[in-house]
mmCIF file of all heavy atoms in Angstrom:
data_model
loop_
_atom_site.group_PDB
_atom_site.id
_atom_site.type_symbol
_atom_site.label_atom_id
_atom_site.label_comp_id
_atom_site.label_asym_id
_atom_site.label_seq_id
_atom_site.Cartn_x
_atom_site.Cartn_y
_atom_site.Cartn_z
ATOM 1 N N PRO A 129 271.149 -25.313 36.324
ATOM 2 C CA PRO A 129 269.876 -24.685 36.830
ATOM 3 C C PRO A 129 270.149 -24.088 38.132
ATOM 4 O O PRO A 129 271.102 -24.309 38.862
ATOM 5 C CB PRO A 129 268.936 -25.875 36.846
ATOM 6 C CG PRO A 129 269.783 -27.089 36.971
ATOM 7 C CD PRO A 129 271.035 -26.813 36.246
ATOM 8 N N ASN A 130 269.189 -23.176 38.503
ATOM 9 C CA ASN A 130 269.312 -22.377 39.756
ATOM 10 C C ASN A 130 269.539 -23.209 41.004
ATOM 11 O O ASN A 130 270.319 -22.872 41.870
ATOM 12 C CB ASN A 130 268.097 -21.466 39.918
ATOM 13 C CG ASN A 130 268.060 -20.377 38.935
ATOM 14 O OD1 ASN A 130 269.074 -20.027 38.301
ATOM 15 N ND2 ASN A 130 266.869 -19.745 38.711
ATOM 16 N N HIS A 131 268.866 -24.370 41.113
ATOM 17 C CA HIS A 131 268.900 -25.191 42.293
ATOM 18 C C HIS A 131 270.276 -25.889 42.510
ATOM 19 O O HIS A 131 270.555 -26.526 43.480
ATOM 20 C CB HIS A 131 267.799 -26.123 42.405
ATOM 21 C CG HIS A 131 267.821 -27.215 41.399
ATOM 22 N ND1 HIS A 131 267.246 -26.980 40.043
ATOM 23 C CD2 HIS A 131 268.259 -28.444 41.343
ATOM 24 C CE1 HIS A 131 267.450 -28.095 39.310
ATOM 25 N NE2 HIS A 131 268.059 -29.011 40.100
ATOM 26 N N GLU A 132 271.078 -25.912 41.362
ATOM 27 C CA GLU A 132 272.465 -26.534 41.410
ATOM 28 C C GLU A 132 273.559 -25.520 41.591
ATOM 29 O O GLU A 132 274.726 -25.870 41.524
ATOM 30 C CB GLU A 132 272.612 -27.399 40.162
ATOM 31 C CG GLU A 132 271.698 -28.613 40.042
ATOM 32 C CD GLU A 132 271.909 -29.424 38.815
ATOM 33 O OE1 GLU A 132 272.702 -28.991 37.955
ATOM 34 O OE2 GLU A 132 271.343 -30.501 38.745
ATOM 35 N N VAL A 133 273.174 -24.283 41.779
ATOM 36 C CA VAL A 133 274.153 -23.180 41.919
ATOM 37 C C VAL A 133 274.019 -22.676 43.336
ATOM 38 O O VAL A 133 272.937 -22.305 43.815
ATOM 39 C CB VAL A 133 273.968 -21.998 40.914
ATOM 40 C CG1 VAL A 133 274.959 -20.916 41.178
ATOM 41 C CG2 VAL A 133 274.070 -22.578 39.484
ATOM 42 N N LEU A 134 275.123 -22.557 44.077
ATOM 43 C CA LEU A 134 275.136 -22.096 45.460
ATOM 44 C C LEU A 134 275.944 -20.821 45.570
ATOM 45 O O LEU A 134 277.149 -20.790 45.182
ATOM 46 C CB LEU A 134 275.706 -23.189 46.419
ATOM 47 C CG LEU A 134 275.696 -22.814 47.844
ATOM 48 C CD1 LEU A 134 274.254 -22.624 48.439
ATOM 49 C CD2 LEU A 134 276.422 -23.901 48.727
ATOM 50 N N PHE A 135 275.408 -19.787 46.113
ATOM 51 C CA PHE A 135 276.117 -18.516 46.357
ATOM 52 C C PHE A 135 276.684 -18.547 47.759
ATOM 53 O O PHE A 135 275.971 -18.850 48.692
ATOM 54 C CB PHE A 135 275.083 -17.345 46.182
ATOM 55 C CG PHE A 135 274.558 -17.123 44.830
ATOM 56 C CD1 PHE A 135 273.506 -17.865 44.310
ATOM 57 C CD2 PHE A 135 275.121 -16.202 43.963
ATOM 58 C CE1 PHE A 135 272.986 -17.677 43.062
ATOM 59 C CE2 PHE A 135 274.698 -15.970 42.702
ATOM 60 C CZ PHE A 135 273.571 -16.718 42.262
ATOM 61 N N VAL A 136 277.958 -18.197 47.861
ATOM 62 C CA VAL A 136 278.624 -18.343 49.126
ATOM 63 C C VAL A 136 279.262 -16.973 49.433
ATOM 64 O O VAL A 136 279.982 -16.415 48.535
ATOM 65 C CB VAL A 136 279.724 -19.443 49.136
ATOM 66 C CG1 VAL A 136 280.410 -19.552 50.516
ATOM 67 C CG2 VAL A 136 279.164 -20.770 48.750
ATOM 68 N N PHE A 137 279.086 -16.488 50.625
ATOM 69 C CA PHE A 137 279.610 -15.145 50.958
ATOM 70 C C PHE A 137 279.764 -15.138 52.529
ATOM 71 O O PHE A 137 279.196 -15.858 53.241
ATOM 72 C CB PHE A 137 278.806 -13.996 50.490
ATOM 73 C CG PHE A 137 277.317 -14.065 50.816
ATOM 74 C CD1 PHE A 137 276.854 -13.439 51.939
ATOM 75 C CD2 PHE A 137 276.455 -14.728 50.023
ATOM 76 C CE1 PHE A 137 275.496 -13.444 52.290
ATOM 77 C CE2 PHE A 137 275.127 -14.804 50.334
ATOM 78 C CZ PHE A 137 274.648 -14.132 51.419
ATOM 79 N N GLU A 138 280.640 -14.206 52.979
ATOM 80 C CA GLU A 138 280.829 -14.078 54.423
ATOM 81 C C GLU A 138 279.638 -13.401 55.090
ATOM 82 O O GLU A 138 278.934 -12.600 54.461
ATOM 83 C CB GLU A 138 282.046 -13.133 54.649
ATOM 84 C CG GLU A 138 283.435 -13.820 54.364
ATOM 85 C CD GLU A 138 284.566 -12.865 54.736
ATOM 86 O OE1 GLU A 138 284.454 -12.161 55.778
ATOM 87 O OE2 GLU A 138 285.610 -12.926 54.027
ATOM 88 N N HIS A 139 279.472 -13.719 56.349
ATOM 89 C CA HIS A 139 278.487 -12.977 57.171
ATOM 90 C C HIS A 139 279.110 -11.704 57.692
ATOM 91 O O HIS A 139 279.940 -11.754 58.587
ATOM 92 C CB HIS A 139 278.052 -13.877 58.323
ATOM 93 C CG HIS A 139 276.869 -13.438 59.042
ATOM 94 N ND1 HIS A 139 276.810 -12.166 59.613
ATOM 95 C CD2 HIS A 139 275.635 -13.999 59.318
ATOM 96 C CE1 HIS A 139 275.569 -11.984 60.160
ATOM 97 N NE2 HIS A 139 274.837 -13.102 59.971
ATOM 98 N N THR A 140 278.758 -10.617 57.045
ATOM 99 C CA THR A 140 279.340 -9.331 57.439
ATOM 100 C C THR A 140 278.316 -8.355 58.047
ATOM 101 O O THR A 140 278.516 -7.114 57.958
ATOM 102 C CB THR A 140 279.998 -8.690 56.211
ATOM 103 O OG1 THR A 140 279.038 -8.550 55.092
ATOM 104 C CG2 THR A 140 281.197 -9.436 55.606
ATOM 105 N N GLY A 141 277.290 -8.921 58.607
ATOM 106 C CA GLY A 141 276.298 -8.067 59.263
ATOM 107 C C GLY A 141 275.423 -7.253 58.354
ATOM 108 O O GLY A 141 274.797 -7.798 57.414
ATOM 109 N N LEU A 142 275.464 -6.004 58.519
ATOM 110 C CA LEU A 142 274.556 -5.024 57.713
ATOM 111 C C LEU A 142 274.839 -5.123 56.235
ATOM 112 O O LEU A 142 273.970 -5.148 55.400
ATOM 113 C CB LEU A 142 274.814 -3.647 58.276
ATOM 114 C CG LEU A 142 273.842 -2.597 57.640
ATOM 115 C CD1 LEU A 142 272.400 -2.929 58.058
ATOM 116 C CD2 LEU A 142 274.199 -1.215 58.168
ATOM 117 N N TYR A 143 276.146 -5.287 55.849
ATOM 118 C CA TYR A 143 276.474 -5.252 54.400
ATOM 119 C C TYR A 143 275.966 -6.532 53.703
ATOM 120 O O TYR A 143 275.614 -6.475 52.522
ATOM 121 C CB TYR A 143 277.964 -5.120 54.198
ATOM 122 C CG TYR A 143 278.531 -3.795 54.706
ATOM 123 C CD1 TYR A 143 279.863 -3.627 55.119
ATOM 124 C CD2 TYR A 143 277.699 -2.708 54.752
ATOM 125 C CE1 TYR A 143 280.341 -2.453 55.616
ATOM 126 C CE2 TYR A 143 278.182 -1.466 55.237
ATOM 127 C CZ TYR A 143 279.483 -1.348 55.684
ATOM 128 O OH TYR A 143 280.006 -0.131 56.121
ATOM 129 N N SER A 144 276.024 -7.698 54.354
ATOM 130 C CA SER A 144 275.607 -8.926 53.704
ATOM 131 C C SER A 144 274.033 -9.128 53.856
ATOM 132 O O SER A 144 273.530 -10.025 53.185
ATOM 133 C CB SER A 144 276.275 -10.096 54.301
ATOM 134 O OG SER A 144 276.022 -10.193 55.698
ATOM 135 N N HIS A 145 273.409 -8.308 54.633
ATOM 136 C CA HIS A 145 271.960 -8.461 54.857
ATOM 137 C C HIS A 145 271.195 -8.220 53.556
ATOM 138 O O HIS A 145 270.198 -8.973 53.185
ATOM 139 C CB HIS A 145 271.472 -7.481 55.925
ATOM 140 C CG HIS A 145 269.984 -7.519 56.137
ATOM 141 N ND1 HIS A 145 269.323 -8.529 56.826
ATOM 142 C CD2 HIS A 145 269.015 -6.625 55.776
ATOM 143 C CE1 HIS A 145 268.030 -8.307 56.791
ATOM 144 N NE2 HIS A 145 267.808 -7.238 56.197
ATOM 145 N N GLN A 146 271.550 -7.208 52.787
ATOM 146 C CA GLN A 146 270.809 -6.910 51.534
ATOM 147 C C GLN A 146 270.975 -8.026 50.485
ATOM 148 O O GLN A 146 270.063 -8.415 49.870
ATOM 149 C CB GLN A 146 271.383 -5.572 50.921
ATOM 150 C CG GLN A 146 270.702 -5.151 49.604
ATOM 151 C CD GLN A 146 269.285 -4.801 49.799
ATOM 152 O OE1 GLN A 146 268.953 -3.861 50.450
ATOM 153 N NE2 GLN A 146 268.429 -5.626 49.224
ATOM 154 N N LEU A 147 272.208 -8.569 50.458
ATOM 155 C CA LEU A 147 272.454 -9.714 49.554
ATOM 156 C C LEU A 147 271.618 -10.915 49.965
ATOM 157 O O LEU A 147 270.989 -11.571 49.093
ATOM 158 C CB LEU A 147 273.953 -10.109 49.563
ATOM 159 C CG LEU A 147 274.404 -11.234 48.713
ATOM 160 C CD1 LEU A 147 274.052 -11.010 47.272
ATOM 161 C CD2 LEU A 147 275.923 -11.467 48.814
ATOM 162 N N ALA A 148 271.580 -11.223 51.218
ATOM 163 C CA ALA A 148 270.786 -12.381 51.738
ATOM 164 C C ALA A 148 269.290 -12.207 51.493
ATOM 165 O O ALA A 148 268.608 -13.098 51.028
ATOM 166 C CB ALA A 148 271.065 -12.577 53.204
ATOM 167 N N THR A 149 268.842 -10.971 51.716
ATOM 168 C CA THR A 149 267.394 -10.679 51.508
ATOM 169 C C THR A 149 267.002 -10.829 50.072
ATOM 170 O O THR A 149 265.983 -11.408 49.770
ATOM 171 C CB THR A 149 267.087 -9.289 52.063
ATOM 172 O OG1 THR A 149 267.478 -9.139 53.425
ATOM 173 C CG2 THR A 149 265.679 -8.891 51.916
ATOM 174 N N THR A 150 267.852 -10.254 49.215
ATOM 175 C CA THR A 150 267.533 -10.317 47.774
ATOM 176 C C THR A 150 267.563 -11.735 47.193
ATOM 177 O O THR A 150 266.652 -12.186 46.458
ATOM 178 C CB THR A 150 268.484 -9.429 46.952
ATOM 179 O OG1 THR A 150 268.445 -8.112 47.470
ATOM 180 C CG2 THR A 150 268.049 -9.350 45.474
ATOM 181 N N LEU A 151 268.597 -12.475 47.585
ATOM 182 C CA LEU A 151 268.700 -13.895 47.127
ATOM 183 C C LEU A 151 267.528 -14.727 47.588
ATOM 184 O O LEU A 151 267.005 -15.554 46.939
ATOM 185 C CB LEU A 151 270.027 -14.511 47.572
ATOM 186 C CG LEU A 151 271.287 -13.942 46.885
ATOM 187 C CD1 LEU A 151 272.523 -14.586 47.510
ATOM 188 C CD2 LEU A 151 271.232 -14.154 45.359
ATOM 189 N N SER A 152 267.086 -14.481 48.871
ATOM 190 C CA SER A 152 265.978 -15.191 49.397
ATOM 191 C C SER A 152 264.705 -14.859 48.578
ATOM 192 O O SER A 152 263.887 -15.774 48.313
ATOM 193 C CB SER A 152 265.797 -14.781 50.905
ATOM 194 O OG SER A 152 266.797 -15.290 51.691
ATOM 195 N N ALA A 153 264.509 -13.591 48.277
ATOM 196 C CA ALA A 153 263.394 -13.145 47.519
ATOM 197 C C ALA A 153 263.316 -13.771 46.101
ATOM 198 O O ALA A 153 262.255 -14.097 45.581
ATOM 199 C CB ALA A 153 263.270 -11.639 47.445
ATOM 200 N N LEU A 154 264.502 -13.962 45.520
ATOM 201 C CA LEU A 154 264.632 -14.597 44.222
ATOM 202 C C LEU A 154 264.534 -16.095 44.241
ATOM 203 O O LEU A 154 264.558 -16.775 43.233
ATOM 204 C CB LEU A 154 265.953 -14.096 43.537
ATOM 205 C CG LEU A 154 266.075 -12.665 43.207
ATOM 206 C CD1 LEU A 154 267.508 -12.319 42.693
ATOM 207 C CD2 LEU A 154 265.014 -12.216 42.216
ATOM 208 N N GLY A 155 264.632 -16.718 45.474
ATOM 209 C CA GLY A 155 264.531 -18.137 45.631
ATOM 210 C C GLY A 155 265.789 -18.790 45.237
ATOM 211 O O GLY A 155 265.793 -20.009 44.819
ATOM 212 N N LEU A 156 266.943 -18.121 45.376
ATOM 213 C CA LEU A 156 268.234 -18.690 44.990
ATOM 214 C C LEU A 156 268.956 -19.245 46.269
ATOM 215 O O LEU A 156 269.012 -18.485 47.257
ATOM 216 C CB LEU A 156 269.093 -17.667 44.295
ATOM 217 C CG LEU A 156 268.509 -17.170 43.031
ATOM 218 C CD1 LEU A 156 269.395 -16.016 42.429
ATOM 219 C CD2 LEU A 156 268.452 -18.315 41.917
ATOM 220 N N PRO A 157 269.491 -20.437 46.260
ATOM 221 C CA PRO A 157 270.151 -20.971 47.409
ATOM 222 C C PRO A 157 271.478 -20.259 47.737
ATOM 223 O O PRO A 157 272.233 -19.930 46.823
ATOM 224 C CB PRO A 157 270.443 -22.473 47.098
ATOM 225 C CG PRO A 157 270.418 -22.514 45.585
ATOM 226 C CD PRO A 157 269.463 -21.408 45.152
#
Side-chain angles (χ1 to χ4, degrees):
N130 288 342
H131 66 276
E132 294 181 351
V133 178
L134 182 66
F135 294 83
V136 183
F137 51 94
E138 288 184 34
H139 192 303
T140 55
L142 188 62
Y143 296 153
S144 61
H145 177 74
Q146 181 65 66
L147 180 58
T149 302
T150 305
L151 291 176
S152 294
L154 295 173
L156 298 173

